Amino acid sequence: MSNVRLVGFSCLCFLLHIAPLCCFSHETVMIDGVVWNYENTGSGVYLGAWMGATNAVDRSFVGDLVLPNEINGDKVIGICESAFRDCIGITSITFTTNIVSIGNAAFNGCAGLSSIAVPNSVTTIGYAIFGGCTRLSDISIPFVGIRRGNDESEAALFGYMFGGTKHEGDVEIFQKFWTHSGRFCEERTYYLPKSLKNVRITDEEVIAAGAFYGCAALTSVDISGSVARIGLYAFGKCEALTSITIRDGVNQLGNRVFDGCISLTSVTIPNSVISMGEGIFNECRSLSNVNLPFVGCARNSSGKEALFGYLFGAYTIPPWEGSKQINQGYSTGPNDYLTCYFPTSLVSVIITDAVKIGNYAFSGFDHIQSVIIYPQYPLPTSIGTYAFTQCSALSEIIVPLRLAIGNYAFPDTCEVIYQDWVTIDVIGRTGCEIYNGVG
């Protein structure tokens, strides 16, 4: 093959933003008793061969596989298409941090893998690399889909990494993704292993709209602080999801991020978040505890966007199992109210970085029993008029010492505890006879 054709193919791969397929004559070397097939492109070594012509190792290999760091002095920088296809005896794979690209179907059919951790050095991942990995239960990936920051295409979906071919032990999922800033929705069918429960994302920039939509078997997701934005419906209909960790650094949550996560019991949103979309907790039927940096859309929101109900969705839809409908007013106009449904399982709310709790913010949430409000130190916190009116189950609310309280802010049934968050001392307690802005 001529140098002209090689250069042309490399340029094409670059322009199309795909992982190189490898197109050089493959060579063979033995390292620590393992025979490796590879191609040397001149810029680095790729394990396997062009278009999956041969596997990187023999399919009879059994055990834990450690990828070589270099071959004959040249760094191993990539994995060719189908390099480990149907190597059912591989039980684990250890990567080197030189790897930057993984080709299509690279680990397809590796049915012996139970976990895999792709390093942050990787910049491109091919289609269906984990297809047929039917025992896979834990996965750590630097990003979702084909590359970092990918958005508004099927190549930004989690299912893209597993592909559209069904294997025994797979479950069919229907993933939605949104294009043109959420105006258009498309659907794709993928097959994920039933065994897959835990996902960790270690170095992503954007989790796209619908990225995990419909991944109904997942129980746990851990999102690194490198993620700036999580798109709308990103975890919609993840019905088995019980735990999601969102690390400090995430800035934005799109509309209905957790829509239909019916098994989710607790959520903590970090203080780095500056905006939360409408209905992020819609149909979270089991939700009992939430930790939020603020109430509503943003720290200084007003009107309906400052209501706690905004986070459950302003939608006129039939109530879902375990929900209660409330109409939250936010002004004096006849149409100045928000209709939402909230889970009756919700009993505890912690606000961790509050500047204000707006007028009527929690009005009507009559199943909440406990609220704790931390100040955005050293700024004072304000609680608006009727902020907790009709919260009949509220027995205790802990508030900052430096506090401005609006008229009739609390119900008569709860105890207010004033906390100095600097010295962590309880300064005083009152019943809820707080009227006309005077404590």
Side-chain angles (χ1 to χ4, degrees):
M1 187 175 288
S2 70
N3 286 337
V4 173
R5 291 180 66 189
L6 293 178
V7 171
F9 182 82
S10 299
C11 291
L12 178 62
C13 287
F14 176 79
L15 291 173
L16 295 178
H17 300 286
I18 61 174
L21 300 176
C22 308
C23 55
F24 292 76
S25 297
H26 78 271
E27 304 176 60
T28 301
V29 66
M30 179 178 284
I31 302 174
D32 297 330
V34 178
V35 176
W36 292 90
N37 296 306
Y38 69 96
E39 294 183 350
N40 195 324
T41 66
S43 59
V45 172
Y46 285 80
L47 301 176
W50 180 44
M51 297 295 289
T54 185
N55 275 29
V57 297
D58 193 271
R59 289 180 180 174
S60 63
F61 180 92
V62 175
D64 301 333
L65 187 65
V66 178
L67 304 188
N69 186 55
E70 59 179 42
I71 293 178
N72 296 330
D74 293 317
K75 290 183 178 180
V76 175
I77 62 172
I79 298 172
C80 287
E81 178 177 350
S82 302
F84 298 96
R85 179 184 282 274
D86 297 329
C87 291
I88 62 175
I90 296 176
T91 53
S92 73
I93 296 177
T94 301
F95 291 82
T96 75
T97 55
N98 294 328
I99 300 287
V100 295
S101 70
I102 301 175
N104 296 339
F107 306 107
N108 198 291
C110 290
L113 282 176
S114 60
S115 65
I116 194 165
V118 179
N120 289 349
S121 58
V122 171
T123 58
T124 57
I125 293 177
Y127 177 73
I129 65 166
F130 300 127
C133 296
T134 52
R135 292 190 180 92
L136 201 59
S137 61
D138 297 87
I139 184 171
S140 176
I141 47 179
F143 48 86
V144 182
I146 191 171
R147 71 180 72 85
R148 284 175 183 82
N150 190 34
D151 201 359
E152 295 197 340
S153 79
E154 64 177 302
L157 300 179
F158 188 57
Y160 180 89
M161 308 174 85
F162 292 84
T165 300
K166 186 173 184 178
H167 304 79
E168 186 176 354
D170 281 347
V171 60
E172 184 179 52
I173 66 167
F174 302 97
Q175 286 213 266
K176 293 182 179 181
F177 65 98
W178 282 259
T179 61
H180 298 85
S181 301
R183 292 194 298 272
F184 299 101
C185 177
E186 298 185 39
E187 189 174 276
R188 294 290 185 271
T189 301
Y190 297 111
Y191 296 92
L192 271 61
K194 294 177 183 177
S195 57
L196 184 59
K197 303 299 180 184
N198 307 305
V199 176
R200 186 182 181 205
I201 304 160
T202 58
D203 197 38
E204 180 60 285
E205 299 169 2
V206 174
I207 295 180
F212 288 88
Y213 187 95
C215 294
L218 291 183
T219 60
S220 171
V221 176
D222 189 326
I223 303 170
S224 76
S226 63
V227 174
R229 174 169 54 86
I230 302 176
L232 77 162
Y233 286 100
F235 297 95
K237 308 304 179 186
C238 290
E239 295 182 347
L241 192 65
T242 57
S243 171
I244 184 159
T245 302
I246 305 173
R247 301 195 180 275
D248 196 57
V250 176
N251 296 141
Q252 299 176 339
L253 302 179
N255 294 346
R256 295 201 170 202
V257 166
F258 307 114
D259 183 279
C261 292
I262 61 177
S263 300
L264 199 59
T265 58
S266 177
V267 178
T268 296
I269 309 297
N271 289 351
S272 58
V273 169
I274 59 174
S275 68
M276 296 186 288
E278 187 173 28
I280 63 171
F281 299 129
N282 181 60
E283 208 172 340
C284 291
R285 303 180 184 183
S286 303
L287 199 60
S288 60
N289 306 280
V290 293
N291 287 28
L292 305 170
F294 49 85
V295 179
C297 178
R299 283 177 174 81
N300 291 303
S301 291
S302 59
K304 72 176 183 178
E305 292 187 350
L307 299 176
F308 189 52
Y310 178 86
L311 301 177
F312 293 87
Y315 303 100
T316 306
I317 58 174
W320 31 270
E321 183 180 352
S323 71
K324 181 177 180 178
Q325 177 183 331
I326 61 172
N327 297 318
Q328 283 199 286
Y330 53 87
S331 188
T332 57
N335 297 316
D336 292 341
Y337 66 90
L338 176 147
T339 299
C340 69
Y341 299 92
F342 73 94
T344 56
S345 56
L346 184 62
V347 295
S348 173
V349 178
I350 298 177
I351 311 298
T352 56
D353 198 37
V355 174
K356 68 172 184 177
I357 308 296
N359 297 341
Y360 302 95
F362 287 88
S363 63
F365 278 82
D366 57 4
H367 283 68
I368 294 176
Q369 300 172 15
S370 172
V371 174
I372 300 175
I373 301 172
Y374 291 84
Q376 192 184 63
Y377 187 80
L379 299 175
T381 299
S382 65
I383 297 180
T385 300
Y386 295 108
F388 293 92
T389 188
Q390 298 177 17
C391 293
S392 57
L394 188 61
S395 60
E396 178 182 275
I397 181 167
I398 302 176
V399 298
L401 178 62
R402 298 178 66 193
L403 187 68
I405 303 175
N407 294 340
Y408 304 97
F410 306 117
D412 295 336
T413 53
C414 79
E415 179 182 26
V416 180
I417 301 175
Y418 295 94
Q419 179 83 55
D420 187 336
W421 294 112
V422 177
T423 61
I424 317 299
D425 290 330
V426 174
I427 301 302
R429 297 172 180 262
T430 71
C432 290
E433 297 178 1
I434 299 177
Y435 305 119
N436 302 319
V438 180

